[in-house]
Amino acid sequence: MDTPITESAFIGAAVGAAVCGMRPVAELMYIDFMGVCFDQIFNQAAKFKYMFGGKAETPVVIRTSIGAGLRAASHHSQSLYPIFTHIPGLKVVVPSSPYEAKGLLIQAVRDNDPVIFCEHKSLHYIQEDVPEGSYAIPFGEANIVRDGGDVTIVAFGLMVQKSMEAASKLAKEGIQCEVIDPRTTSPLDLETIVESVEKTGYLVVVDESNPRCSMAADISAQVTDQAFGSLKGPVKMVTAPHCPPPFSDVLEDLYIPSPNKITEAIRSLK
Amino acid sequence: MARIITFREAVNEALLQEMERDPKVIAMGEDVIGGSGAKGEMDAWGGGHLDSQRVYMENLVIGLWIPQLLSRLS
C-alpha cells in the first residue's frame, strides 16, 4: 500500500490497524521525521498494552532509515534509535547486515509489540549470503561477530562493519578485539556484554548517535554499574559529535565514527 | 540454500515471505509510487496481494478512532 507523506496519518492508521487485528509493516522513510508522529508512537502504540491492563496488543512494525554518509544533510542523516530505546513498550532493532536484516524483520513482524526497525542507508546495497527460506532471529540475543580476549567493542548497525575493520587492523598489532552486535537496543542483551568485559577488562562502545543519552552512554553506565571490578581502564565511547549531521562532505566524513577513530580509542587504552 | 543478495533485497524477501505466511501482514510504504521507494518495490511486495488488502482500509480508518478502539477492548 502506497501512502502519502503524512507520517502522523499513516503511522496512526498502522497503529490503529494493529490494535484491530492486522499486522502492519509501515515504512517511514527517514527516522528524522518520526517527530511528526511521536504521539502515535510514544503515547499510543507504546502504551496500549500497559494502560489497558494487557488486553491490547499492537503488533506494528515501523521500518525506517538511519545514518549519515549520503550527503543528505541534517534532516535525513540522524541515528535516533536511542530516543525510541528510552520508551518502555517499544522494541528497537538496528540490523548490521543483509542476513541479520532478514531474520530480524521476520521476528519483528511476528512480535506482538510495536517494533522500530532502523536500517542504515549505507548498508542497503551491501551484499551477503542470505538463506532463501524463512528464519527468525530472536530479539535481545547479541551476536558475537568476532572473538577476542583483549578488548570488547559493542557496535550497532553500520558501526559493526566499521568495528570489524578496526579489529582486523588491530589484530595485526597483536590486539584481539571481541566485537559484539547487540542487534536490538531494546531489549538489550547486557549479559553478553558484561560477560565479555569480565574477560577482556576493556570496553569501547561505537554508536553513530550523538553522544548525549546515546546507546554508548547507556551501555557505558550499565557496564560500569555491573562490572566495575572487572574494568582495567575507562570505558570509551566512539560516537558522532554533539552536532547535527553536516551537509559538507568533508565535515560529514569527520562526523561518522570511522575505523581510525575506533583504533585510536582502543590504542589509548593500552 | 543461500545466495548473495543485498540488504534491501533481504528486507523485501522477509516482508514477502511474512505476507505469504499470514494474510494479516500488510506493507505500507511512504510515497513509494511518488518516487521515494526503490524501483520495483511495490511489485516486489506483490501488487495483487496488496490490492486485496485494500478492503482493510476500513479497518485502518476505524483504527484512527480511539473511542472505537476502546469499545473493542471493553
Side-chain angles (χ1 to χ4, degrees):
Chain A
M1 189 180 299
D2 188 32
T3 76
I5 310 176
T6 50
E7 290 83 2
S8 54
F10 78 78
I11 293 297
V15 168
V19 181
C20 291
M22 303 298 286
R23 306 187 81 86
V25 182
E27 183 256 316
L28 195 159
M29 269 186 280
Y30 296 97
I31 201 168
D32 314 74
F33 299 111
M34 287 270 192
V36 175
C37 47
F38 268 4
D39 188 61
Q40 285 82 349
I41 299 168
F42 290 173
N43 289 329
Q44 312 304 335
K47 292 180 174 59
F48 281 147
K49 186 183 267 182
Y50 182 77
M51 294 185 78
F52 296 132
K55 284 186 186 170
E57 295 204 310
T58 316
V60 63
V61 181
I62 302 175
R63 285 180 54 209
T64 190
S65 71
I66 59 166
L70 268 69
R71 316 308 188 208
S74 300
H75 286 167
H76 301 82
S77 304
Q78 297 171 95
S79 293
L80 299 177
Y81 44 82
I83 293 179
F84 300 91
T85 308
H86 184 74
I87 306 295
L90 298 178
K91 290 178 179 169
V92 185
V93 186
V94 190
S96 61
S97 77
Y99 174 87
E100 295 283 317
K102 181 174 174 183
L104 288 165
L105 184 56
I106 287 173
Q107 179 63 35
V109 172
R110 295 176 186 177
D111 200 282
N112 284 333
D113 291 317
V115 177
I116 312 292
F117 194 87
C118 306
E119 304 168 19
H120 199 293
K121 295 174 208 77
S122 296
L123 289 174
H124 269 151
Y125 295 100
I126 69 154
Q127 298 185 320
E128 184 177 49
D129 262 349
V130 177
E132 280 177 32
S134 179
Y135 61 94
I137 298 175
F139 289 170
E141 285 185 20
N143 183 24
I144 299 174
V145 191
R146 181 185 176 118
D147 285 316
D150 296 329
V151 57
T152 302
I153 305 177
V154 176
F156 297 91
L158 177 69
M159 296 301 111
V160 174
Q161 315 267 346
K162 307 244 178 195
S163 300
M164 290 297 281
E165 276 183 51
S168 303
K169 214 169 178 181
L170 289 166
K172 288 174 195 147
E173 299 171 22
I175 300 171
Q176 301 302 329
C177 301
E178 183 143 291
V179 180
I180 297 177
D181 170 12
R183 293 175 165 147
T184 52
T185 64
S186 186
L188 178 69
D189 182 1
L190 192 62
E191 205 181 316
T192 298
I193 299 169
V194 166
E195 269 173 26
S196 175
V197 172
E198 283 168 352
K199 179 176 75 175
T200 63
Y202 293 100
L203 174 64
V204 176
V205 191
V206 188
D207 180 1
E208 196 184 312
S209 303
N210 302 115
R212 302 294 315 282
C213 303
S214 59
M215 284 316 298
D218 176 65
I219 290 171
S220 301
Q222 292 198 68
V223 169
T224 307
D225 179 58
Q226 293 200 14
F228 185 73
S230 302
L231 286 167
K232 298 177 202 158
V235 176
K236 288 285 181 189
M237 307 200 312
V238 181
T239 68
H242 191 63
C243 78
F247 177 60
S248 148
D249 51 1
V250 176
L251 294 177
E252 190 183 33
D253 288 345
L254 285 171
Y255 174 91
I256 305 166
S258 62
N260 269 347
K261 281 187 190 154
I262 301 165
T263 52
E264 275 169 28
I266 291 168
R267 285 197 195 105
S268 77
L269 292 169
K270 295 285 180 178
Chain B
M1 202 189 132
R3 77 260 101 107
I4 293 172
I5 56 172
T6 66
F7 188 104
R8 232 184 149 121
E9 287 164 341
V11 163
N12 272 338
E13 189 169 273
L15 260 179
L16 271 176
Q17 287 178 354
E18 283 304 284
M19 287 199 289
E20 276 164 20
R21 186 187 61 83
D22 179 355
K24 290 188 158 145
V25 177
I26 52 170
M28 299 161 72
E30 185 173 7
D31 195 32
V32 174
I33 292 169
S36 299
K39 203 177 170 194
E41 191 161 48
M42 288 303 281
D43 297 335
W45 290 352
H49 183 82
L50 286 161
D51 284 343
S52 71
Q53 297 298 339
R54 285 186 199 279
V55 293
Y56 292 108
M57 272 305 287
E58 188 186 353
N59 224 347
L60 301 185
V61 174
I62 287 168
L64 286 165
W65 299 347
I66 299 300
Q68 175 72 12
L69 272 180
L70 293 171
S71 71
R72 282 181 65 95
L73 291 165
S74 63

